[in-house]
Amino acid sequence: MSDNKIQLENLYEEGDQWVQNLGDETIHAKRMGGIFRNFKWLAIIFWTPFFIGPYLTWNDKQAILFDMENRQYHLFDITIFPQDIWMLTMVLLFLAILLAAMTTVLGRVFCGYFCFQTIWTDIFTWVETKVEGTPMKRRKLDKAPMSFYKLKTKLIKHAIWMSIALFSGVTWMLYFGVTWADYFNADISTITLTITVTIASGAYIFAGFMREQTCLWVCPYARIQGAMVDNQSVMPTYDHYRGENRGKLKKGEFVDGNGDCIDCNQCVAVCPTGVDIRKGQEYGCITCGLCIDACDSVMEKVGKPKGLIRYTSLAELEYKQAPKPLYKRPRVIVYGSILVAALSILAYGMSTLAPMDLKVLHDRQPLFVQLSDGSIRNKYELKVMNKTDKDMQVDISFESPIKGLKFKNSLDLVTIPTGNVKSIFVYLSAYENNVGDDYEVTFVVKGAQSTLEYKTSFFTPRSMR
């Protein structure tokens, strides 16, 4: 066994190697430039639509609006009603499986770049850096006794934090039809105020104070993600074969027996969760890649090749195996199949989303009545729903092979209010002698944008025998 291998085994046998910050101290991560830091800035832009969405208009109305009072959900030209809420199930299924698929392929890359907790924490710590200074200055300020300077600095930071948190809470409620004027005029309900304060407080506490502790103690995903990865998952990994033994090094120098890691701890200094990637994967790692930026910068300065810490898989690092194609990985195949199925069902639902809905209920008590002239009458309740944002006029007619079947009342140009279901009672009558073996009746509801049909039956004493 090589000396390097023995050293590695001793390294991982040491009891103090697997260390996780459990909230005993505040992580003040150093900010460094690099490709993965740039990716994180781009990820922040990913959340920009959240803040501009409520202000978009479409056809002189709010483009994205969740109208809970009228049970209407508007997304530009699309209006979704509770009857179509099954599509939300497909959306949630798609996002959940997409998260699992991303984890299988790239580890917790969602946590590192796109999770709202990560984004808000990154913004809050950026503000902290601008107000309080470098990590070293922030640590000194935390330990320093209270003074006018410390009080002023802390008040400025927390005022900005609370402004961002409150803006986030208000923005969320704007999607539900609340306006800034409602807040300024104190014309908001207790529920609206409670939700706003809850979201603002959550952002302030989770992003400002708990930070990585939110991922460790609150978010269940950090606990279960270990079951989603395998030895083919690509994650930030320290190449211990190349890096060990560690030792201080100056540019151009060579120390016999030392690896490329110069033990500068820059990878730990930039980690937003305080993880030492050199000790192996820990569930605190959110795979953001900032340690790669730090290590590559140091390797460049000391004249070593980049990639001591890099995105790679365990199979590639330990066994020098090329990554398997995605189509040869069972987990990816299963996740991909579910994703395609959910997306297909969702696409079908969106493409067949009609501007109105029709249901016909046949009166069952009684199924029919016999009139004084000997004819048989059936009663139907037509439930027509207007799924548009304007009142709709429809014509109601029927088709049937039954001879002499007729309406009792005229149903031309019936008005259906926007977003409402209107019950229309229809009476059809015919003489039993004119009713053959085919009892089918098809109601036709014709509107300006679409025509719907609904098949039912016409009952007579003979049909019940």
Side-chain angles (χ1 to χ4, degrees), residues 439-454:
Y439 307 105
E440 187 175 282
V441 176
T442 302
F443 284 99
V444 180
V445 177
K446 185 176 183 180
Q449 301 180 26
S450 66
T451 300
L452 298 179
E453 297 182 355
Y454 197 102

Side-chain angles (χ1 to χ4, degrees), residues 32 260 262-267 292-304:
M32 293 182 63
D260 285 355
I262 64 172
D263 206 20
C264 62
N265 285 318
Q266 289 301 302
C267 55
I292 300 177
D293 284 340
C295 188
D296 284 349
S297 175
V298 172
M299 291 294 102
E300 188 174 16
K301 290 178 181 178
V302 299
K304 299 285 186 179

Side-chain angles (χ1 to χ4, degrees), residues 5-48:
K5 188 71 174 179
I6 295 174
Q7 193 277 337
L8 287 173
E9 290 183 352
N10 293 334
L11 172 67
Y12 290 112
E13 287 175 359
E14 295 178 14
D16 61 344
Q17 290 303 311
W18 292 85
V19 179
Q20 182 67 56
N21 176 33
L22 301 179
D24 300 330
E25 60 177 329
T26 301
I27 299 296
H28 291 293
K30 181 179 179 180
R31 284 179 174 265
M32 293 182 63
I35 184 172
F36 294 104
R37 166 48 65 185
N38 292 336
F39 285 162
K40 287 183 72 66
W41 285 121
L42 291 175
I44 291 178
I45 298 176
F46 174 82
W47 278 93
T48 302

Side-chain angles (χ1 to χ4, degrees), residues 81 355-356 384-388 390-392 416-420:
F81 289 85
M356 62 179 176
V384 184
M385 181 176 188
N386 180 359
K387 298 166 70 174
T388 68
K390 296 180 181 179
D391 291 348
M392 176 188 296
I416 314 296
T418 175
N420 283 292

Side-chain angles (χ1 to χ4, degrees), residues 5 11 40 52 69 134 189-190 209 233 307 312 332 351 363 421:
K5 188 71 174 179
L11 172 67
K40 287 183 72 66
I52 65 175
E69 182 177 355
T134 63
S189 65
T190 303
F209 294 93
S233 301
T312 188
V332 177
S351 63
D363 196 0
V421 177

